[in-house]
Amino acid sequence: MNESRPKSMSSFWMPFTNNRDFKANPRLLVSAEGMYYKDVDGNSILDGTAGLWCVPCGHAQPRITAAVSEMVGQLDFAPTFQMGHPAAFDLAEQLMDYTGHKFGHVFYTNSGSEAVDTALKMALAYHRARGEGGRTRLIGRERGYHGVGFGGLSVGGIGNNRKSFGPLLPGVDHLPHTHNLLKNAFSRGEPDFGVELADELERLVTLHDASTIAAVIIEPVSGSTGVLVPPKGYLKRLREICDKHGILLIFDEVITGFGRLATPFASDYFGVEPDMMTTAKGLTNGVVPMGAVFTKRFIHDAFMDAPAGIELFHGYTYSGHPLACAAAIATLEVFREQGVTENAKELQPYFEDALHSLRGLPHVIDIRSIGLVAGIELEPIAGKPGARAYSAFKQAFADGVLIRVTGDIIALSPPLVLNKQHIDELFGKLANVLKNLD
């Protein structure tokens, strides 16, 4: 493994990165184990973000590493078009067990972005298969993030992600976001205000007519936009309205799935079942890229009622890749045998108390939390949106803590195998950063 600095960094065009700033002062990670990264200079960096929300079981988890190593020597690749391999089917059964059989089928992708585009295509094709081909409209939500495919960008609602790419998919509308600093600041768990915002879906139904609407897609907890927690009763109200009008409800659980809220999925936490659910990230503990769409049985069965032949003209070369399946099966074993979700549930109150102890520090205008995910909103510098949080990010890394920032919001989502000492280190170092932030 190469642990030295690269000879040149000019050729790699980095994603979602200020390339010029990074390459002037790079932050290079060369190894990881448990709760910590190690950088190229040998410094330990506490992972406060589970990589990119995707390493719930901690880094270099031996069982997952061994499973992938064994599979690569046994079956490096196998197509899943008109053939298959046992691990893909075994994983699907285990995933349905993990959901408590609330879903009936899983369709594999390679990322959250692909999972979202797959779910949107399934929604459109489902209505067509039922003879309601006029249901083509998709509804997302302001400040929503659903990946970077054209479908996900279209239903997503983050301006900077959309503005450079011209017209996106037609026939898309958006619900308002639920963030309200005036009424819900410093909330713990679901905030009290905002359930009525779900009724905006009724307004869109009146505007477009239910017969034109295929699906609503939202994140149960909006992650990449800065941890926006739904108001009490909001998701249940959306479910009721979708049922009333025959609209499919899709939960994007790419971030919230696999223990992040100290439950298997956010749908379990909130007691609301969507018709489809997109997942990725924690599915393989981030070891091998993989995504998946979970669907209710009635959606799958609508396609199986068609004449014999290929039921859904959709898929990816690497759908159900053997290495990804091996990683995912091992990840589920770690969750089950090592009590990963139970650990998150036990530590959630301690994590929440440590987080909210930051209230009153300079520039902190809101703190919000649910499960083991947190958002700390900072007052922006006039005329320089995002600059204050980005400064916090760079200083925290220099002090040995990895955090994530979006705009002027710090987002935290550590691996779920953490202990109280890790929580103390995370918030102790972050407090020092905030106390000295311009």
Side-chain angles (χ1 to χ4, degrees):
M1 183 181 66
N2 186 2
E3 295 190 6
S4 61
R5 294 181 182 275
K7 294 179 180 179
S8 173
M9 292 188 290
S10 63
S11 297
F12 178 25
W13 190 348
M14 299 171 67
F16 279 110
T17 296
N18 181 336
N19 278 253
R20 290 162 293 183
D21 180 79
F22 175 87
K23 291 172 182 179
N25 295 284
R27 294 168 292 277
L28 297 171
L29 305 172
V30 296
S31 64
E33 183 176 4
M35 289 290 299
Y36 291 88
Y37 283 106
K38 184 172 287 186
D39 73 7
V40 72
D41 296 316
N43 300 307
S44 291
I45 311 294
L46 176 63
D47 186 358
T49 63
L52 275 174
W53 313 87
C54 58
V55 189
C57 300
H59 296 278
Q61 218 294 328
R63 183 182 291 267
I64 302 171
T65 301
V68 174
S69 298
E70 179 180 354
M71 182 61 83
V72 75
Q74 174 186 330
L75 185 65
D76 58 348
F77 175 75
T80 51
F81 293 8
Q82 305 288 9
M83 60 189 70
H85 61 91
F89 296 94
D90 291 343
L91 173 60
E93 294 299 326
Q94 291 189 36
L95 287 172
M96 293 304 95
D97 288 343
Y98 188 70
T99 70
H101 293 278
K102 295 174 183 175
F103 298 86
H105 301 273
V106 58
F107 192 102
Y108 297 124
T109 69
N110 307 293
S111 67
S113 293
E114 289 182 1
V116 165
D117 278 17
T118 296
L120 297 178
K121 290 176 72 175
M122 283 179 171
L124 297 172
Y126 162 78
H127 289 296
R128 181 177 290 273
R130 295 173 59 252
E132 293 192 50
R135 287 185 180 265
T136 60
R137 185 169 295 278
L138 302 168
I139 297 175
R141 187 168 59 180
E142 296 169 358
R143 296 189 68 169
Y145 178 75
H146 301 291
V148 295
F150 272 97
L153 282 179
S154 299
V155 295
I158 299 178
N160 281 342
N161 291 357
R162 297 164 53 94
K163 67 182 182 182
S164 297
F165 307 111
L168 300 174
L169 292 184
V172 175
D173 214 328
H174 292 79
L175 295 166
H177 66 76
T178 62
H179 188 37
N180 189 311
L181 270 175
L182 183 63
K183 295 187 177 181
N184 289 331
F186 299 100
S187 58
R188 300 186 181 213
E190 299 165 86
D192 292 325
F193 173 81
V195 62
E196 68 279 1
L197 292 170
D199 292 327
E200 285 294 304
L201 180 54
E202 288 281 17
R203 183 184 65 81
L204 294 180
V205 168
T206 301
L207 176 64
H208 300 297
D209 194 82
S211 65
T212 71
I213 301 174
V216 172
I217 181 169
I218 63 165
E219 301 160 278
V221 177
S222 297
S224 295
T225 196
V227 187
L228 306 186
V229 182
K232 294 175 182 175
Y234 174 87
L235 295 177
K236 290 183 178 180
R237 180 64 181 135
L238 276 185
R239 176 74 274 181
E240 292 168 358
I241 298 171
C242 286
D243 287 342
K244 175 182 175 182
H245 296 291
I247 300 168
L248 295 178
L249 179 61
I250 305 170
F251 277 2
D252 184 339
E253 294 230 30
V254 170
I255 284 176
T256 53
F258 300 96
R260 182 50 53 190
L261 303 191
T263 53
F265 297 96
S267 60
D268 300 305
Y269 183 98
F270 295 110
V272 178
E273 292 186 22
D275 301 304
M276 286 190 277
M277 191 161 67
T278 62
T279 63
K281 294 189 183 293
L283 173 59
T284 62
N285 202 48
V287 175
V288 180
M290 191 181 209
V293 180
F294 299 166
T295 74
K296 292 287 190 178
R297 289 182 178 85
F298 72 85
I299 294 175
H300 169 270
D301 292 348
F303 291 92
M304 299 305 120
D305 289 338
I310 295 173
E311 298 92 3
L312 179 65
F313 282 83
H314 176 71
Y316 304 96
T317 298
Y318 303 110
S319 293
H321 193 286
L323 302 190
C325 290
I329 290 171
T331 298
L332 291 175
E333 291 173 352
V334 172
F335 265 95
R336 181 172 60 250
E337 296 174 10
Q338 299 185 17
V340 174
T341 304
E342 291 78 7
N343 184 65
K345 185 175 183 179
E346 180 180 344
L347 287 174
Q348 186 273 331
Y350 192 85
F351 178 87
E352 183 180 84
D353 287 343
L355 166 70
H356 283 270
S357 73
L358 304 180
R359 182 174 184 173
L361 293 184
H363 314 301
V364 175
I365 60 175
D366 188 23
I367 295 173
R368 41 194 181 265
S369 59
I370 188 168
L372 287 190
V373 60
I376 304 164
E377 189 157 351
L378 306 180
E379 184 177 12
I381 298 173
K384 297 180 180 180
R388 177 164 280 144
Y390 188 56
S391 294
F393 163 75
K394 292 198 289 187
Q395 186 58 54
F397 190 90
D399 291 348
V401 175
L402 178 63
I403 63 175
R404 177 162 168 71
V405 296
T406 173
D408 275 298
I409 300 167
I410 296 169
L412 301 173
S413 57
L416 305 180
V417 295
L418 79 174
N419 58 39
K420 290 183 178 180
Q421 289 72 32
H422 298 130
I423 294 173
D424 292 342
E425 180 182 355
L426 172 62
F427 289 107
K429 290 185 174 181
L430 186 54
N432 288 332
V433 169
L434 294 174
K435 289 173 183 177
N436 295 288
L437 198 61
D438 291 335

